Structures are given as C-alpha cells and as structure tokens.
Amino acid sequence: MKQKIILLLLLLTSASLTLQADTTDSMWQTIAEHLSYLGYECTKDGDKITARHHIKPGFDIHIHNNGILFRAWFQHRKSAEDDFANFVVLINHLNRFTTVLKYYCDSEKDLVLTAWYPLPYGKQSFSSFVSAWETDFVSSTAKNKERIAHFIQ
C-alpha cells in the first residue's frame, strides 16, 4: 500500500511538472507573439526571451518570483569608473522619473534597467506594463541625455 501511494505521488508530481512546462512554453509563445505585435523581434534561449526593436531599447525577460523580470544592460564608459559618485547620483536621479522601471549599477559598473510584471499574463495588463516600461525609459532618459552619454556607451 505504501509503495502504491509513493508511486501515485510520483505520477502526480510528474504530471504537474509536465503541465507547468507546457504552461510555461505556452505562456512564452503568447508573450513572444504579443511583443512581436508591438514591433519587437523575439528569440527564446532556454528559460528567457530576448526582445530587440529597431528603435526602442532591447531587453531580456525571464521568470522570477512568480512574475516576469525585464532586464536591459548598457555598457559603461571609463568615466563611470572615474566619477562613480556622480554616476550613482545620476542613477538615483533617473529613478525619480519612473513608474515601473528601476535603474541600478551592477558589479561591473554597467547600467541595468529592470522591471517586474506579476503573473498570470493578461493581454491588457501586459500591454499597459510594456507601455509603462517604454514610457519610463523615454521620459527618464530624454531629460538626461548628456549626463547619460557621459557615463554610458
């Protein structure tokens, strides 16, 4: 009897994991199609999607804490190392203008942009979120182009 219960639990766990994988693949396909509709070219690489656009900044997305984490990186110039204090002041300043986007400096002193979208996926909420991501980027960088260009390639 104990062996049957263990076997049943293993089968249920296996079925659950298969369903989760199928759901995740289906969700990734839906999200990639949605981003493609918005003009992004998407490629899936393992557990993430890379989205590129001919005008807008590209980003990677992956599952994180029951949501989708958007991330974009911008390589720093030497001036970010030489004048790190003012680079951090700029990053703090940029964060003042954002709704969903968060700027920070990674361990290599590159500028990283992140935002988190809570699951489950919804067409309308995802559209609003991507729009807010794009608006945050444009509004925060438009006001600070020269300062950003000083620190970021």
Side-chain angles (χ1 to χ4, degrees), residues 90-104:
L90 171 63
I91 292 170
N92 287 338
H93 180 75
L94 293 171
N95 281 319
R96 293 178 50 216
F97 297 101
T98 61
T99 302
V100 300
L101 187 64
K102 177 177 72 174
Y103 289 88
Y104 70 91

Side-chain angles (χ1 to χ4, degrees), residues 63-76:
I63 301 293
H64 179 74
N65 286 344
N66 200 32
I68 300 172
L69 185 65
F70 283 58
R71 295 180 301 184
W73 284 269
F74 295 90
Q75 193 172 9
H76 73 280

Side-chain angles (χ1 to χ4, degrees), residues 133-150:
W133 161 275
E134 294 170 346
T135 300
D136 276 358
F137 179 79
V138 169
S139 65
S140 61
T141 57
K143 299 171 186 173
N144 298 283
K145 286 181 183 178
E146 289 180 18
R147 290 175 66 193
I148 293 169
H150 178 69

Side-chain angles (χ1 to χ4, degrees), residues 7-45:
L7 181 59
L8 180 61
L9 288 173
L10 287 172
L11 288 172
L12 288 173
T13 301
S14 175
S16 174
L17 291 174
T18 301
L19 180 59
Q20 281 181 321
D22 291 345
T23 302
T24 301
D25 287 343
S26 173
M27 181 189 66
W28 278 138
Q29 180 64 32
T30 301
I31 289 170
E33 288 172 3
H34 193 144
L35 291 169
S36 294
Y37 174 77
L38 297 174
Y40 291 90
E41 183 179 314
C42 298
T43 54
K44 188 170 184 297
D45 181 20

